């Protein structure tokens, strides 16, 4: 018996979608489970990549709002996501983040490269980074869920990954309890440039979930103010305008 089949016997890998045991030849997820996920497809917002109602609508509602708040030069240059944030992915990401299922990162990165590898390569980012976690969350969780996926994407595409571009400067209040203006102010105080923030001309920022995009926008703004010419964003899951 080979080493990996022994490992498989004692620590059978789990399906990231249903958390059931995977058979030896089933790959990184059950095929039937994978088919239950909704992969992002056009029409999407021209800026952030969020699914929109119709091709006539160029930008999603959040991007339309952001264009009014942020200086044009500080907006991120484009974005893409793998899945729509449905119940299946919500549960998967929750197990990944809070219940020690770090092994799911392999599936997430694999699907990201399969579906968005071409999109990433075309943009030729000098490096990949991840939205940072504050120290308290990092201590409790033990790992940065976005960085883990970013590292695996970087390794597969041979793009360097650098986690010293952005820092989380303080603990933020739960965003849910705030109105949009308070949210933005709250978030802006929470992030700052890391010691290598000015090192790259083009950066791809990775995160797990994209909702309104404020976090990504603030991170992009920081890097652009530090001299980055192009900033793109990639998230595993994204909300939709409908
Ligand atoms: Zn499954
Ligand atoms: Zn958008």
């Amino acid at each position: 018996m080979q080493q990996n089949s022994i490992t498989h016997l004692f620590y059978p890998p789990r399906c990231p979608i249903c958390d059931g045991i995977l058979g030896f030849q089933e790959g990184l997820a059950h095929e039937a489970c994978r088919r239950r996920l909704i992969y992002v497809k056009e029409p999407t917002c021209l800026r952030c990549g969020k699914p929109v109602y119709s091709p006539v609508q160029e930008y999603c509602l959040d991007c339309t709002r952001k264009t009014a708040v942020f200086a044009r030069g500080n907006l991120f240059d484009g974005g893409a996501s793998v899945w729509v944030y449905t119940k299946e992915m919500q549960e998967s990401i929750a197990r990944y983040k809070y219940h020690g299922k770090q092994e799911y990162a392999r599936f997430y990165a694999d699907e990201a490269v399969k579906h968005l590898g071409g999109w990433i390569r075309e943009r030729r980012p000098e490096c990949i980074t991840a939205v940072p976690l504050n120290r308290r969350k990092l201590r409790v969780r033990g790992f940065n869920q976005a960085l883990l996926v970013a590292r695996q994407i970087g390794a597969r595409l041979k793009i360097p990954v650098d986690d010293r571009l952005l820092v989380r400067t303080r603990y933020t209040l739960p965003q849910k309890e705030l109105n949009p203006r308070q949210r933005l102010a709250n978030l802006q105080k929470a992030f700052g440039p890391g010691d290598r923030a000015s090192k790259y001309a083009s950066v791809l920022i990775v995160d797990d979930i994209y909702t309104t995009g404020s976090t990504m926008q603030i991170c992009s703004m920081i890097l652009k103010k530090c001299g980055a010419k192009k900033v793109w964003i990639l998230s595993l899951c994204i909300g939709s305008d409908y």
Side-chain angles (χ1 to χ4, degrees):
M1 205 183 247
Q2 288 176 342
Q3 179 62 43
N4 58 355
S5 47
I6 294 173
T7 314
H8 190 102
L9 199 63
F10 289 103
Y11 304 99
R14 299 272 175 168
C15 169
I17 305 146
C18 72
D19 204 40
I21 289 171
L22 287 166
F24 193 52
Q25 307 231 300
E26 278 186 302
L28 298 177
H30 295 127
E31 195 43 42
C33 288
R34 195 198 306 259
R35 268 189 254 122
R36 293 204 327 260
L37 303 178
I38 300 175
Y39 287 79
V40 171
K41 57 176 191 303
E42 292 185 343
T44 52
C45 168
L46 294 180
R47 188 166 297 277
C48 74
K50 184 183 284 188
V52 292
Y53 290 109
S54 84
V56 180
Q57 188 188 347
E58 290 188 318
Y59 300 105
C60 72
L61 299 176
D62 284 314
C63 283
T64 309
R65 273 186 220 120
K66 268 194 232 60
T67 321
V69 175
F70 290 90
R72 200 172 174 79
N74 290 334
L75 293 171
F76 54 75
D77 296 274
S81 300
V82 186
W83 297 288
V84 175
Y85 195 40
T86 56
K87 189 174 138 276
E88 283 81 6
M89 278 316 294
Q90 226 167 318
E91 290 171 359
S92 175
I93 299 269
R95 286 195 304 273
Y96 170 58
K97 272 157 81 163
Y98 309 117
H99 301 285
K101 302 287 181 174
Q102 293 176 36
E103 63 190 86
Y104 292 0
R106 221 177 123 202
F107 171 72
Y108 299 153
D110 224 62
E111 294 294 292
V113 168
K114 204 185 292 170
H115 293 268
L116 302 174
W119 182 87
I120 299 169
R121 278 193 200 95
E122 272 171 37
R123 273 142 195 87
R124 304 165 64 135
E126 284 177 13
C127 97
I128 300 179
T129 195
V131 171
L133 278 188
N134 67 57
R135 252 185 248 144
R136 195 166 108 182
K137 272 193 188 162
L138 194 58
R139 207 168 45 232
V140 174
R141 198 171 299 167
F143 72 110
N144 175 341
Q145 76 279 357
L147 184 60
L148 195 57
V149 174
R151 285 200 196 288
Q152 298 207 19
I153 294 174
R156 283 168 170 79
L157 297 177
K158 302 196 168 45
I159 300 169
V161 177
D162 194 331
D163 66 344
R164 283 164 60 179
L165 273 57
L166 295 159
V167 289
R168 199 100 174 196
T169 50
R170 49 165 246 177
Y171 181 72
T172 39
L173 300 164
Q175 291 285 88
K176 275 178 206 158
E177 294 156 21
L178 307 173
N179 70 37
R181 195 175 291 271
Q182 292 171 318
R183 271 187 190 207
L184 205 63
N186 184 39
L187 265 183
Q188 229 153 355
K189 278 183 258 166
F191 292 93
D195 63 342
R196 288 208 287 255
S198 358
K199 201 180 163 197
Y200 307 92
S202 57
V203 181
L204 174 74
I205 311 175
V206 171
D207 205 0
D208 51 346
I209 304 155
Y210 183 105
T211 48
T212 65
S214 301
T215 301
M216 286 292 213
Q217 184 43 56
I218 284 162
C219 291
S220 306
M221 182 177 72
I222 292 169
L223 295 180
K224 289 216 162 176
K225 283 185 173 172
C226 288
K229 297 279 169 277
K230 294 280 181 189
V231 177
W232 295 282
I233 58 159
L234 183 147
S235 48
L236 294 175
C237 302
I238 194 162
S240 76
D241 255 12
Y242 48 86

